[in-house]
Amino acid sequence: MGIFKDIMGKIFHANPAANARNLQNPPPAPAASAAPAATPNAPVDVAAVLSGMASKRGEKLNWRTSIVDLMKLLDLDSSLSARKQLAKELGYSGSTDDSASMNIWLQAQVMKKLAENGGKVPADLLH
């Protein structure tokens, strides 16, 4: 499993109400048509989930602007090698030796990808 899938799993499965809804109303089996299936569940409010997680932490983590803090909040490896792996997964084309630029790109790309995969992400986090 990739790092981005781990990020999605931690955020999307942190919402107990959504999990209960999914257990009560599982998604229908895929149809034989090529049309994409609509998801009956409301999007996961990414900012609310992360803010809730952050409020329970003893340390202040700036997950809104720091990929390192976001990964720490989710109890994921935030080392440079893990971030380089995430950058590779998400198609980063810049130099991974420039960690500051890579981190800025990663933070924006993770929020964009969360939105593309069913997350409700505030506009100010989608650079």
Side-chain angles (χ1 to χ4, degrees):
M1 182 181 293
I3 295 173
F4 181 72
K5 286 189 180 194
D6 291 343
I7 291 170
M8 277 186 46
K10 298 266 187 168
I11 294 170
F12 289 19
H13 296 116
N15 185 345
N19 288 341
R21 203 170 43 243
N22 289 339
L23 291 175
Q24 293 170 356
N25 302 313
S33 73
T39 53
N41 300 323
V44 173
D45 188 335
V46 172
V49 169
L50 293 173
S51 293
M53 293 171 106
S55 70
K56 296 174 185 167
R57 296 284 289 226
E59 63 182 315
K60 181 161 173 51
L61 296 171
N62 189 1
W63 61 267
R64 290 180 166 270
T65 60
S66 169
I67 189 67
V68 173
D69 283 1
L70 175 63
M71 293 174 82
K72 284 182 181 179
L73 179 62
L74 298 173
D75 293 321
L76 297 172
D77 179 4
S78 62
S79 68
L80 180 58
S81 63
R83 287 179 278 128
K84 285 182 177 184
Q85 181 181 342
L86 178 60
K88 183 177 179 181
E89 283 178 31
L90 298 179
Y92 183 63
S93 60
S95 171
T96 56
D97 292 329
D98 181 0
S99 64
S101 294
M102 180 183 72
N103 288 348
I104 292 166
W105 183 89
L106 279 173
Q107 180 67 20
Q109 193 67 17
V110 164
M111 291 300 159
K112 178 182 172 203
K113 292 290 187 187
L114 288 170
E116 290 173 358
N117 285 281
K120 179 182 159 199
V121 179
D124 66 318
L125 297 180
L126 295 170
H127 319 315

